[in-house]
Amino acid sequence: MQQLWPTQQEQPDLVQLYAEPRTPWLRMNFVTSLDGAGTLDGKSAGLSGPADKRVFGILRMLCDALLVGAGTLRDEGYRALRLDPERRKWRLDHGLSEYPVLVVVSGRADLDPAHPALADAPVRPIVVTRAQAAHLSEVADVVPTADDLPATVDTLHGRGLRGILSEGGPHLFGSLTAAGLVDELCLTVSPLLAGPGAGRITAGPPVPVPQELTLRHVLLAEGQLMLRYCR
């Protein structure tokens, strides 16, 4: 992996490069094709690669909470949010909990409590929903604020979860953008033309005022560009 900008170097320190500039902080992480597709055959995995997965792992290591929509949890085949021993040690050495907390946003609470991401989680997940969710109470804390994302984020901050990473999906990204909550976008651009059909990485109603972000760095590996933009 090479850093191309703002300086050029081989094998940059990814932990240092992706350190959050301040807290609280909400970071989005996505991968896209050259022509804007957010998935191949319905999943983002076909757009990824070893370097992108390495960054993916670093971002999970750095966060307090992983925020994800219920559809993405199901469609992408999420499993329990576990880290290897080296990354767990790094977290403990840097004052973080051993594992980040999984936070699932689900308008209808139509989640299976036996889903591995919930049932096998190393720490108790949180489900944010506007619906009745008694069936999830044995495997997760239920927070009833799904229609109010600023309140949801404030609730997470109140629980000490100040560094939030979101991996989508598109509707959650669109809603967070519309609410002015996105501090950062980490975007991997894959050297593929996916063609028409796939959706973009964001969805929902138009945002009245576009938000400008500043490019922080550019990495290159295996033909993929990894871009980091911050508020």
Side-chain angles (χ1 to χ4, degrees):
M1 186 181 296
Q2 298 174 282
Q3 182 176 342
L4 302 182
W5 191 89
T7 60
Q8 295 190 14
Q9 57 178 308
E10 299 286 339
Q11 302 304 319
D13 184 339
L14 295 180
V15 174
Q16 182 178 10
L17 275 179
Y18 284 99
E20 297 170 351
R22 60 185 179 275
T23 59
W25 194 253
L26 196 150
R27 165 186 281 158
M28 307 298 303
N29 184 37
F30 277 93
V31 61
T32 180
S33 68
L34 288 173
D35 50 356
T39 58
L40 283 179
D41 297 324
K43 297 182 183 292
S44 62
L47 296 170
S48 187
D52 175 62
K53 288 183 172 64
R54 184 179 171 198
V55 170
F56 179 92
I58 292 291
L59 297 184
R60 285 189 168 193
M61 181 184 79
L62 294 173
C63 72
D64 293 315
L66 176 65
L67 180 67
V68 64
T72 295
L73 186 87
R74 290 188 294 262
D75 295 344
E76 297 283 351
Y78 273 57
R79 297 191 174 276
L81 183 53
R82 298 184 180 274
L83 305 178
D84 62 38
E86 182 180 353
R87 288 179 175 167
R88 297 204 306 271
K89 181 179 184 304
W90 185 95
R91 288 176 61 85
L92 293 173
D93 289 346
H94 289 81
L96 300 175
S97 59
E98 188 173 7
Y99 296 95
V101 177
L102 175 67
V103 182
V104 185
V105 178
S106 177
R108 299 188 300 271
D110 52 348
L111 291 164
D112 183 352
H115 191 290
L118 301 176
D120 300 336
V123 293
R124 189 170 173 85
I126 298 171
V127 174
V128 180
T129 183
R130 63 175 177 267
Q132 295 296 318
H135 65 294
L136 298 173
S137 60
E138 289 191 7
V139 295
D141 292 348
V142 177
V143 175
T145 55
D147 285 335
D148 187 345
L149 281 175
T152 297
V153 170
D154 285 344
T155 297
L156 297 180
H157 293 166
R159 289 174 173 243
L161 307 174
R162 298 178 63 80
I164 300 173
L165 168 66
S166 179
E167 297 167 355
H171 285 279
L172 180 57
F173 186 13
S175 297
L176 290 168
T177 302
L181 296 171
V182 176
D183 295 306
E184 176 178 338
L185 172 61
C186 296
L187 182 65
T188 296
V189 181
S190 254
L192 299 172
L193 293 174
R200 298 175 57 207
I201 62 172
T202 188
V207 176
V209 180
Q211 179 180 330
E212 184 174 350
L213 301 180
T214 300
L215 182 63
R216 290 295 183 90
H217 69 239
V218 180
L219 306 177
L220 172 66
E222 298 129 16
Q224 293 188 322
L225 290 174
M226 281 148 282
L227 313 173
R228 183 188 185 203
Y229 287 88
C230 295
R231 189 195 292 269

